[in-house]
Amino acid sequence: MRSFILAFIAFFLMIACKDQNAEKRTEREIPQDSISVEPEEEPQASQDYVSEKWHFSLQVPAAYKVYSGELPAKAPVVNIYHPQNDKAPPYAIHENAAASYIAILPNGFGVDAPSGKRKSLKEWGKGLPLQFEINPNETMVYLLENGRPWAFSLRFYSPPPRWDEYGSIFVHYAVNEFKGECFAEGSGEKKAMEDCDPLGGDRVEYSGEVSSESMEALNSVLESLNFSAENSPKKVISELIRVEQPKPNQVITSPLKIKGKARGYWFFEAEAPYKLVDEEHRTLATGSMQAQGEWMTEDFVPFEAEISFEAPDANHGFLVFSRSNASGKPEHDRVYRVPVRFSSN
């Protein structure tokens, strides 16, 4: 195992510095489950991608492409990737630091996780713009020494349809000016990366600058990603919940009164959760809204709630409404976000 780790670290550092004179590899043909938008002369902002096999859909940014195939050991993978990456897909979790991609791994991929600083999502204290719930204790955030995340490994409470229990999603932002350093256990002295032994206690530090363009593009993919039950197409969110107060981008103060209506099946036992987050998706306050009437119906049911919070330093945030999902299965998750602004007073 130690020889594998040493080989990986040396390989990772070698490919992080891209040879500008190297001949670019020819990208092989990339199969896709389905792309619903036909190519047009005018470029589109994004394309809808649907995987009927793995029961998810998402939007692909205009500059990105999709690969659907297999990794070694016949592990299925779907990559959303930038075509300027230095090699063709498939991509797993150990790639060039400058690569920008997402690896959707329905059956997982049995290799060691990246070394360097990392925290669970719960320890990190921030969040991601997702339409489904993830397990914050098992979801990992990989950090540069400046505290910026360069990768995430998302894990579920319960796997989506046809996924197994090891299914995960790996998000890899592009890192510019990447550098890796190793420090010996105990003494803390710097040592050569080829002699580094993370499993033996040596500390690995990664530095560089995360590409804001890569982060923005991949986060937009995550925000659009959702799962569906078999033979059950999803309704547009406006057909499930309508928030009347607050209005989008309204300046809010504490206490905040909330008002709207949702289909009866948005609730469970007449309740549904919501939370207020800042622009980095740190939770400011949580609550549970009550259905104002019979909730065991497919019709819209009014709801009201009130939430108290301490205004953050951030100017913007979101009021996030989640469907009450007693099953814990991501295909039954639905999320609706209302952008809000915080008072500067």
Side-chain angles (χ1 to χ4, degrees):
M1 179 61 71
R2 176 179 175 179
S3 61
F4 174 83
I5 292 294
L6 295 178
F8 161 67
I9 291 174
F11 175 72
F12 188 75
L13 289 174
M14 177 184 71
I15 62 176
C17 299
K18 183 177 179 181
D19 184 357
Q20 298 297 325
N21 298 317
E23 184 179 3
K24 188 174 181 180
R25 293 171 54 181
T26 302
E27 179 180 302
R28 55 181 173 271
E29 184 178 355
I30 296 175
Q32 299 182 15
D33 286 358
S34 65
I35 292 287
S36 64
V37 178
E38 295 296 327
E40 298 179 0
E41 293 184 4
E42 293 294 328
Q44 300 296 307
S46 62
Q47 297 183 83
D48 292 331
Y49 175 83
V50 180
S51 174
E52 296 181 358
K53 181 176 182 179
W54 302 113
H55 298 281
F56 70 83
S57 63
L58 51 77
Q59 290 185 327
V60 183
Y64 282 68
K65 293 187 176 182
V66 179
Y67 167 90
S68 179
E70 291 184 340
L71 293 162
K74 297 185 177 180
V77 65
V78 177
N79 290 137
I80 314 301
Y81 72 100
H82 200 290
Q84 291 184 354
N85 291 349
D86 75 325
K87 72 169 191 175
Y91 307 116
I93 64 175
H94 295 309
E95 304 295 344
N96 187 337
S100 178
Y101 69 93
I102 292 176
I104 298 173
L105 303 161
N107 294 340
F109 189 53
V111 298
D112 291 325
S115 55
K117 182 185 295 186
R118 65 179 182 177
K119 294 181 178 180
S120 71
L121 190 70
K122 184 175 182 179
E123 292 172 325
W124 190 50
K126 301 179 185 179
L128 289 166
L130 303 175
Q131 296 193 48
F132 52 91
E133 293 294 328
I134 53 178
N135 187 328
N137 296 309
E138 294 188 9
T139 292
M140 301 306 299
V141 185
Y142 299 92
L143 302 165
L144 299 176
E145 287 306 304
N146 62 8
R148 295 273 282 176
W150 65 270
F152 293 88
S153 179
L154 311 184
R155 295 294 303 275
F156 300 89
Y157 285 110
S158 178
R162 298 193 66 182
W163 292 40
D164 73 15
E165 61 179 313
Y166 302 107
S168 63
I169 299 171
F170 189 76
V171 184
H172 188 292
Y173 302 137
V175 181
N176 301 318
E177 301 178 6
F178 173 82
K179 181 180 180 181
E181 294 181 301
C182 180
F183 299 89
E185 180 189 18
S187 68
E189 294 181 358
K190 186 182 291 189
K191 59 191 297 186
M193 287 299 292
E194 58 267 24
D195 298 325
C196 196
D197 183 12
L199 293 181
D202 291 345
R203 186 177 80 257
V204 177
E205 293 184 358
Y206 293 143
S207 60
E209 291 296 328
V210 175
S211 164
S212 58
E213 292 82 3
S214 173
M215 178 178 287
E216 182 178 347
L218 297 186
N219 282 358
S220 73
V221 175
L222 292 177
E223 189 168 7
S224 69
L225 175 61
N226 65 79
F227 298 90
S228 60
E230 297 187 53
N231 303 317
S232 179
K234 288 203 168 185
K235 293 183 178 180
V236 295
I237 196 68
S238 61
E239 286 300 310
L240 299 178
I241 182 170
R242 298 172 185 174
V243 178
E244 300 166 6
Q245 184 179 340
K247 301 293 185 183
N249 296 310
Q250 177 180 321
V251 176
I252 63 173
T253 56
S254 182
L256 172 66
K257 291 187 176 180
I258 301 169
K259 184 178 180 181
K261 58 184 177 181
R263 299 283 183 183
Y265 47 83
W266 186 271
F267 304 90
F268 180 72
E269 298 295 340
E271 294 185 348
Y274 63 89
K275 62 182 177 181
L276 182 66
V277 302
D278 66 11
E279 57 193 11
E280 292 192 301
H281 301 275
R282 284 182 286 239
T283 300
L284 304 175
T286 61
S288 180
M289 61 192 193
Q290 300 285 325
Q292 305 294 302
E294 175 55 52
W295 66 278
M296 296 184 69
T297 175
E298 294 188 356
D299 295 333
F300 278 104
V301 180
F303 64 79
E304 292 184 0
E306 183 174 280
I307 187 170
S308 297
F309 62 94
E310 184 175 341
D313 294 332
N315 295 321
H316 303 279
F318 300 90
L319 188 58
V320 183
F321 296 87
S322 299
R323 180 184 177 186
S324 189
N325 180 8
S327 72
K329 296 180 178 180
E331 63 267 30
H332 298 312
D333 282 329
R334 294 305 300 268
V335 171
Y336 180 61
R337 292 179 180 83
V338 177
V340 295
R341 294 184 294 153
F342 299 107
S343 172
S344 58
N345 295 332

